[in-house]
Amino acid sequence: MRLDKFICDCTGLTRSQAGKVLRQKRVTINGQLVKQASLQVADSDQVVLEGKPLTIVGLRYIMLHKPAGYLCANDDPEHPIVFNLLDEPIVERLHTVGRLDLDTTGLLLITDDGQWSHRISSPKHHIAKTYRVWTADPIGDDAVSLFAEGIMLRGEKDPTKPAELDIVAAHEALLTIHEGRYHQVKRMFAAIGNKVEQLHREKIGGLQLPADLAEGAYRQLTAAELELLAK
């Protein structure tokens, strides 16, 4: 691989920026100062930029326990974004797999693998998502059958796909949906005359938010967890 491309892949710099740091004599290979952008880098070479060894960043698959008050966006002038919670190189290459609302907490997936992200978030794959919901008013027993039949949302042409509702307490339930319409959970409860006061995503497919992952913390998915999502 060319040296300038290697630097770009490790740092997120553009090709012209990589050329500039080379011309400024800020890069060494195996302890030797280098300036040639076209120089080929071998796997055994140690490339150092201003004292920091460079390593190509591979594809990343991250689970984050999203707190309330953070936006699932790459930039926002008014609110903090979920990427502020990550201590990752080249964070601008990452994106969220779907979104959680500003006030919604829970399991959020983040990656720089576009194909994987599409498989997880595409409606045609029908990957289930389970939310714990707290409501303003008591949840009627009829909500179970209504959600199972599909709810007609305001402004929509088709009802929601059948969803599974498990009433935990008068104002608390677990809801599993198989699509991802805009503000879907909140709109489903609004359609039956109730209001969602708090919303927390617990599960995507077979992947459960670990109890020991603190709010605001994140980690890489394990191979076993990736397999769960692939099923």
Side-chain angles (χ1 to χ4, degrees):
M1 180 186 295
R2 283 175 56 109
L3 177 57
D4 55 356
K5 185 177 187 306
F6 180 86
I7 294 171
C8 293
D9 289 350
C10 294
T11 64
L13 294 175
T14 65
R15 188 68 67 91
S16 62
Q17 289 170 331
K20 183 177 180 179
V21 300
L22 285 166
R23 292 191 299 273
Q24 292 174 340
K25 302 180 181 179
R26 295 157 61 187
V27 179
T28 63
I29 296 182
N30 304 325
Q32 300 297 314
L33 186 67
V34 291
K35 296 191 296 182
Q36 299 86 2
S38 61
L39 192 67
Q40 292 294 310
V41 178
D43 292 341
S44 57
D45 288 332
Q46 184 181 49
V47 182
V48 176
L49 171 61
E50 295 184 323
K52 181 180 178 181
L54 299 184
T55 303
I56 291 179
V57 178
L59 293 175
R60 291 164 287 181
Y61 307 92
I62 293 168
M63 66 158 64
L64 168 72
H65 186 164
K66 179 190 174 297
Y70 284 80
L71 275 181
C72 293
N74 288 86
D75 184 52
D76 188 86
E78 298 182 5
H79 302 284
I81 60 175
V82 293
F83 299 102
N84 296 152
L85 299 167
L86 306 183
D87 182 16
E88 291 288 319
I90 324 178
V91 72
E92 61 271 14
R93 291 185 183 175
L94 294 166
H95 63 271
T96 61
V97 183
R99 298 185 176 219
L100 291 177
D101 297 339
L102 179 68
D103 58 348
T104 300
T105 62
L107 178 59
L108 180 67
L109 300 179
I110 297 175
T111 188
D112 45 14
D113 184 343
Q115 291 185 342
W116 182 78
S117 174
H118 178 72
R119 288 197 301 271
I120 300 300
S121 59
S122 174
K124 71 178 183 180
H125 292 123
H126 309 300
I127 293 182
K129 302 172 187 69
T130 300
Y131 296 82
R132 189 170 294 273
V133 187
W134 292 268
T135 60
D137 300 318
I139 304 168
D141 291 337
D142 60 338
V144 175
S145 59
L146 290 172
F147 281 16
E149 293 169 3
I151 298 290
M152 183 60 72
L153 302 179
R154 185 175 181 179
E156 301 273 357
K157 294 181 179 179
D158 299 307
T160 60
K161 294 183 184 301
E164 296 82 53
L165 183 70
D166 179 17
I167 299 175
V168 177
H171 295 261
E172 181 182 350
L174 288 173
L175 176 65
T176 299
I177 61 175
H178 303 271
E179 53 190 333
R181 302 191 194 188
Y182 180 70
H183 290 170
Q184 180 173 339
V185 175
K186 294 177 181 178
R187 293 168 68 202
M188 288 176 74
F189 277 93
I192 62 170
N194 210 332
K195 180 183 178 182
V196 173
E197 295 283 0
Q198 189 176 347
L199 188 59
H200 178 82
R201 184 158 69 190
E202 295 193 347
K203 195 173 181 181
I204 300 175
L207 179 65
Q208 182 90 28
L209 179 67
D212 60 354
L213 188 65
E215 191 172 90
Y218 76 96
R219 66 166 172 79
Q220 301 287 332
L221 293 174
T222 66
E225 289 167 339
L226 287 168
E227 183 65 26
L228 280 175
L229 289 167
K231 291 181 180 179

